[in-house]
Amino acid sequence: MAAASLPVHQAIRQRRSRRGFDDRPMTLQEFSDLMFLSVGETDHRDRSWPFRAFPSSGALFPTETYIGVRAVLGIEPGIYHYQPGRHALALVRRGDQTGPLMRAALEQEMVAKAGAVIVLTSLFDRVAFKYKDRAYRYALVEAGHIGQNLYLTAEALRLGCCGIGAFFDDDVNALVGVDGLKEATVYMLVVGHSTHEVVSH
């Protein structure tokens, strides 16, 4: 793994939501580091219960990660499912899907220009059996933890990141191949080489 280029205190101070992206593709190493440090399995001392890069209520990990890849060297454009145990991608849909994802995200142009679009879904039954009425809250909190990981890791890698909460749920669910009931999209983020256009603090 390539070392991140910023210490954590500097990444936190510099973190911004960045909406502008240029045409430079992410390197495979940048993308690999981004995924591992945001959602990867980071501790395998207990192989039956590995820990990940983010906190999860009861270590139940209801969040699944899908990536719409547009410009990552060494990875064909398409939608992929990230498999944290293997630190690997499984193909869901071939071809650049950032255009359809942009339309699903209320025509926000940054979605079609970013190197990759991260789609976080939740499998609510993973937490509901234990936490009942609090399951939805815990699932959303977990997605927030992952979002901040993505922001800070992107900043440390000198990439840009911007979270998106405005999207048509059914359209995004269909693109990543989930049913919207047992598993549904809760958050989207875009990441890539930034023009440093800041959208919010």
Side-chain angles (χ1 to χ4, degrees):
M1 182 190 306
S5 59
L6 293 177
V8 66
H9 70 87
Q10 191 173 347
I12 290 171
R13 289 176 64 90
Q14 291 181 197
R15 183 222 56 79
R16 298 291 183 270
S17 293
R18 304 188 190 279
R19 184 176 289 268
F21 297 95
D22 62 30
D23 291 329
R24 287 175 295 161
M26 285 185 281
T27 68
L28 186 60
Q29 188 66 63
E30 288 169 337
F31 179 77
S32 175
D33 288 356
L34 179 76
M35 299 312 299
F36 179 77
L37 294 172
S38 299
V39 290
E41 289 189 358
T42 55
D43 188 336
H44 293 90
R45 285 175 292 178
D46 182 348
R47 293 192 177 274
S48 65
W49 198 11
F51 287 85
R52 299 188 189 178
F54 55 92
S56 179
S57 299
L60 296 172
F61 301 112
T63 307
E64 294 292 328
T65 305
Y66 297 85
I67 308 103
V69 172
R70 185 186 71 83
V72 178
L73 294 174
I75 303 178
E76 291 295 321
I79 292 180
Y80 296 85
H81 178 231
Y82 178 68
Q83 301 176 328
R86 299 172 53 226
H87 187 51
L89 299 176
L91 181 65
V92 173
R93 189 183 296 267
R94 293 186 185 278
D96 182 2
Q97 301 297 317
T98 51
L101 284 166
M102 178 192 73
R103 291 188 288 275
L106 282 64
E107 302 287 346
Q108 296 182 72
E109 291 186 3
M110 63 179 169
V111 177
K113 294 181 178 180
V117 182
I118 312 298
V119 177
L120 302 180
T121 69
S122 286
L123 280 158
F124 301 110
D125 286 350
R126 283 187 187 165
V127 281
F129 83 93
K130 181 174 183 178
Y131 293 114
K132 311 300 182 191
D133 292 344
R134 292 181 180 269
Y136 189 63
R137 176 188 300 175
Y138 292 165
L140 295 181
V141 166
E142 181 170 302
H145 292 316
I146 294 170
Q148 184 73 329
N149 278 1
L150 284 162
Y151 264 96
L152 295 181
T153 302
E155 198 69 38
L157 293 168
R158 302 190 185 281
L159 300 170
C161 181
C162 188
I164 298 172
F167 50 84
F168 294 116
D169 299 48
D170 291 346
D171 293 351
V172 179
N173 290 335
L175 284 165
V176 301
V178 301
D179 64 9
L181 298 173
K182 291 184 177 179
E183 182 177 1
T185 302
V186 295
Y187 199 11
M188 290 175 62
L189 302 100
V190 290
V191 64
H193 283 283
S194 173
T195 61
H196 300 290
E197 176 187 345
V198 175
V199 62
S200 67
H201 297 284

